[in-house]
Amino acid sequence: MDDQERNRLLRKYKDKLYISGTGIMVLAVWAVLQFCIYMTMMRREIEDIAKEVPDLGVEVVYIILVAEVLLEVALRLYIGICARSVVMTGKRRITYIFVTGLVILIYVLVLGLTILTFSSYSIVQFIVTILVQLTAIVINVQLIQAGIKVRRLSV
């Protein structure tokens, strides 16, 4: 492969990595919005969950939900910022690729649970949830692919 072809491919995968990193960061914003909607619309369900487990108070359920969202947002922002940093600064980071793989595994598990609990969703809610999760998986896979290609081409 000549230098011109390598530079063309490097630009292509850097663009893909930058766009995927931005997409992951947008998903972090989506997680916060989804959490806010969930907290306003599902207050009774949250209180019912707390009542089902006698030792678990409503406050503990809220703390667990907030911690989960904060972890999700932190992971997404870390991945997105690192991916964009690789493109903009040329640093050769690799940890974010492993974290992205972990996130993909979590998405696949959540997707499986969503499919298994289909009856608890309305059809529209189910379809939207599946589409968002599939989109997140695709963006993360593209990010890993582009990250590996950029790393190999940036020798």
Side-chain angles (χ1 to χ4, degrees), residues 17-31:
L17 183 60
Y18 189 87
I19 291 168
S20 297
T22 303
I24 298 293
M25 293 170 72
V26 168
L27 286 172
V29 173
W30 167 250

Side-chain angles (χ1 to χ4, degrees), residues 76-104:
R76 287 178 178 177
L77 288 177
Y78 173 77
I79 292 167
I81 290 169
C82 285
R84 291 170 51 123
S85 168
V86 166
V87 173
M88 296 172 75
T89 65
K91 290 184 180 177
R92 292 178 50 90
R93 298 175 182 222
I94 194 156
T95 309
Y96 77 99
I97 293 175
F98 292 114
V99 173
T100 305
L102 177 67
V103 168
I104 290 172

